[in-house]
């Protein structure tokens, strides 16, 4: 079965392509290389022994999307990652985010609407919950006003898919709301490759440990949590990737009573920033240079997933630990800086 993976050379996309190929799916990757390189294609090929089909293409071009679906008429499912994801940049340049993240989604859905049968998985985020009123966060928690245009594109994206599914019996879709993906494939052939200064915690930690950054700024230790730092649900990217295969199989096997559904994808365990640092120090056997600074605007205090729905309905569960994830992130950082 041929599956189109947009943004398939990115951090999460590349790990998903590996899991899909390992499960026997045939993959067509589309990527505009705006935030990735062709080396990732080699990494995927080395791990799986199979080179996926690759098309360099910008999904903001409606005609190009149309041509893609004419070329690959047998695309049976789409996993859609291609999107911009820098929160700060989205505040500075909202139209770039709305154009890139929403137009591409609309053009793909328009093509899928024309098919007899289509399956679609959307890369969403726990950011849709904002600061949830209770923890762990279940899928029925209310959607809070978005803190940034980036976050808004995930909310609007889900709405677009839901409305489209309501009028398209041929289309089955799932939105996966990721918590905080970290780590790298154990082969160290693929991993996270942030451009410029990392905005996320774990790449900043590994770059500090390797000497690329002087020190990590910990954004606030006066939050109402046990040690005062924010709490997140850090999930190993390989576990996250496997959740996509489980979701795709559910769609293909037509198991769902509704044609649009959504799932939290996390471990169910929250870790504070200081706990992440401590665990990193253990796995890397070195002290990390860090300093407590002011809070970062827009940060929620705590977010971790209730994973019951994903466990029971998708039959999927995160298996790898925070230690596993940080250890792989650290090995990856050391490998790419050699
Ligand atoms: C961030 C985005 C979120 C997006 C996600 C994508 C914000 C406010 N949120 O989530 O919308 O979906 O990335 O991966 O940008 N931290 C530090 N120092 C650092 C970096 C982070 O102390 O240099 C802390 C943060 O305050 C937070 C935790 O580490 O408590 C995790 O931060 P991060 O990795 O940026 O993830 P989120 O904030 O959860």
């Amino acid at each position: 079965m041929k599956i189109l993976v947009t943004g398939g050379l990115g951090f999460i996309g590349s790990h998903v392509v590996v899991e899909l190929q390992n499960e026997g799916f045939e993959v067509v990757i589309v990527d505009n290389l705006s935030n990735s390189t062709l080396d990732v294609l080699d990494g995927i090929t080395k791990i799986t022994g199979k080179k996926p089909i690759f098309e360099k293409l910008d999904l903001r071009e409606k005609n190009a999307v149309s041509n893609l679906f004419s070329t690959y008429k047998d695309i049976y499912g789409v996993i859609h990652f291609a999107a911009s994801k820098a929160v700060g940049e989205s505040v500075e340049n909202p139209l770039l985010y709305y154009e890139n993240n929403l137009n591409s989604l609309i053009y793909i859905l328009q093509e899928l609407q024309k098919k007899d049968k289509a399956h679609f998985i959307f890369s969403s985020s726990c950011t849709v919950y904002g600061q949830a009123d209770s923890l762990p966060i279940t899928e029925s928690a209310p959607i809070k006003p978005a803190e940034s245009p980036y976050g808004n594109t995930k909310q609007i994206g889900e709405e677009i898919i839901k409305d489209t599914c309501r009028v398209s019996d041929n289309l089955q879709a799932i939105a996966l709301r990721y918590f905080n993906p970290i780590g790298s494939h154990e082969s160290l052939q693929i991993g996270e490759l942030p451009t410029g200064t990392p905005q996320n915690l774990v790449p900043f930690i590994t770059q500090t440990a390797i000497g690329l950054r002087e020190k990590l700024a910990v954004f606030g230790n006066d939050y109402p949590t046990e040690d005062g730092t924010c709490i997140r649900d850090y999930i190993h990217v390989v576990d996250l990737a496997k959740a996509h295969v489980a979701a795709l199989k559910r769609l293909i096997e037509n198991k769902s009573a509704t044609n649009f559904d959504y799932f939290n994808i996390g471990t169910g365990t929250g870790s504070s920033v200081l706990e992440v640092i401590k665990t990193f120090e253990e796995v890397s056997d070195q002290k990390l240079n860090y300093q407590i600074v002011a809070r970062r605007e827009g940060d929620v205090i705590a977010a971790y997933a209730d994973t019951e729905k994903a466990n029971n309905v998708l039959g999927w569960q995160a298996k790898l630990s925070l230690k596993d994830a940080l250890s792989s992130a650290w090995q990856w950082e050391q490998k790419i800086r050699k």
Side-chain angles (χ1 to χ4, degrees):
M1 267 179 211
K2 204 168 267 164
I3 307 298
L4 173 67
V5 181
T6 74
L9 296 184
F11 172 42
I12 303 173
S14 58
H15 287 82
V16 170
V17 171
V18 165
E19 296 306 321
L20 287 171
Q21 295 205 148
N22 284 345
E23 292 280 324
F25 289 100
E26 207 184 317
V27 176
V28 179
I29 293 177
V30 161
D31 203 298
N32 67 358
L33 301 177
S34 63
N35 202 14
S36 58
T37 68
L38 279 176
D39 295 343
V40 180
L41 201 56
D42 296 334
I44 293 168
T45 310
K46 278 190 190 134
I47 298 170
T48 61
K50 197 175 171 216
K51 193 172 184 159
I53 299 168
F54 172 69
E55 297 281 353
K56 181 173 183 290
L57 191 145
D58 197 316
L59 297 162
R60 281 172 295 193
E61 289 170 32
K62 191 174 161 80
N63 287 338
V65 177
S66 203
N67 291 339
L68 176 76
F69 280 87
S70 310
T71 307
Y72 300 100
K73 289 198 171 54
D74 53 345
I75 286 174
Y76 197 63
V78 178
I79 307 186
H80 182 46
F81 296 101
S84 305
K85 60 163 193 176
V87 175
E89 186 188 38
S90 80
V91 175
E92 296 304 316
N93 199 346
L95 290 180
L96 177 76
Y97 274 65
Y98 289 117
E99 183 194 29
N100 193 28
N101 294 7
L102 299 180
N103 284 12
S104 56
L105 173 65
I106 292 167
Y107 299 153
I108 291 168
L109 290 175
Q110 282 173 334
E111 292 303 319
L112 294 184
Q113 256 191 336
K114 296 179 200 162
K115 287 180 159 295
D116 292 339
K117 217 178 210 181
H119 307 94
F120 185 75
I121 294 177
F122 181 59
S123 177
S124 189
S125 166
C126 68
T127 195
V128 302
Y129 299 116
Q131 179 56 69
D133 302 324
S134 61
L135 294 164
I137 304 174
T138 65
E139 285 83 353
S140 56
I143 302 299
K144 294 278 175 75
E147 289 277 353
S148 68
Y150 157 75
N152 212 14
T153 65
K154 294 298 175 193
Q155 297 192 2
I156 299 170
E158 286 197 14
E159 294 290 334
I160 290 173
I161 299 162
K162 190 171 80 187
D163 290 343
T164 308
C165 281
R166 198 161 43 221
V167 294
S168 316
D169 289 339
N170 67 323
L171 183 61
Q172 299 233 4
I174 285 179
L176 297 179
R177 295 173 175 166
Y178 312 148
F179 281 68
N180 292 59
I182 61 167
S184 114
H185 193 268
E186 61 177 356
S187 64
L188 304 183
Q189 295 295 341
I190 53 173
E192 191 164 10
L193 287 165
T195 40
T197 309
Q199 307 298 312
N200 296 115
L201 179 63
V202 171
F204 207 104
I205 288 178
T206 56
Q207 287 197 8
T208 305
I210 205 102
L212 277 178
R213 315 270 155 208
E214 196 206 332
K215 64 177 136 182
L216 168 77
V218 173
F219 299 137
N221 69 345
D222 56 353
Y223 284 97
T225 61
E226 208 154 296
D227 63 25
T229 62
C230 293
I231 291 175
R232 297 287 184 275
D233 184 339
Y234 296 93
I235 174 168
H236 198 302
V237 66
V238 171
D239 274 332
L240 177 75
K242 289 182 174 160
H244 293 75
V245 177
L248 184 66
K249 285 186 174 167
R250 179 171 173 79
L251 292 180
I252 291 171
E253 288 161 14
N254 203 4
K255 280 191 175 154
S256 183
T258 87
N259 66 344
F260 175 64
D261 207 353
Y262 39 88
F263 295 89
N264 286 342
I265 304 297
T267 66
T269 303
S271 307
S272 73
V273 177
L274 290 180
E275 279 169 343
V276 173
I277 293 173
K278 200 169 127 264
T279 310
F280 178 79
E281 289 180 333
E282 271 168 42
V283 300
S284 65
D285 202 22
Q286 61 170 282
K287 284 276 162 216
L288 188 79
N289 191 16
Y290 71 89
Q291 186 183 7
I292 310 288
V293 302
R295 292 180 176 195
R296 176 173 73 178
E297 208 184 319
D299 264 337
V300 299
I301 304 163
Y304 52 94
D306 183 315
T307 60
E308 218 182 330
K309 187 176 175 193
N311 296 165
N312 294 341
V313 180
L314 293 181
W316 165 91
Q317 193 170 10
K319 298 231 161 68
L320 299 164
S321 66
L322 179 64
K323 249 186 181 168
D324 296 330
L326 289 172
S327 166
S328 69
W330 176 228
Q331 287 175 49
W332 167 252
E333 186 72 62
Q334 290 171 288
K335 187 203 155 185
I336 58 174
R337 304 301 165 192
K338 260 186 196 150

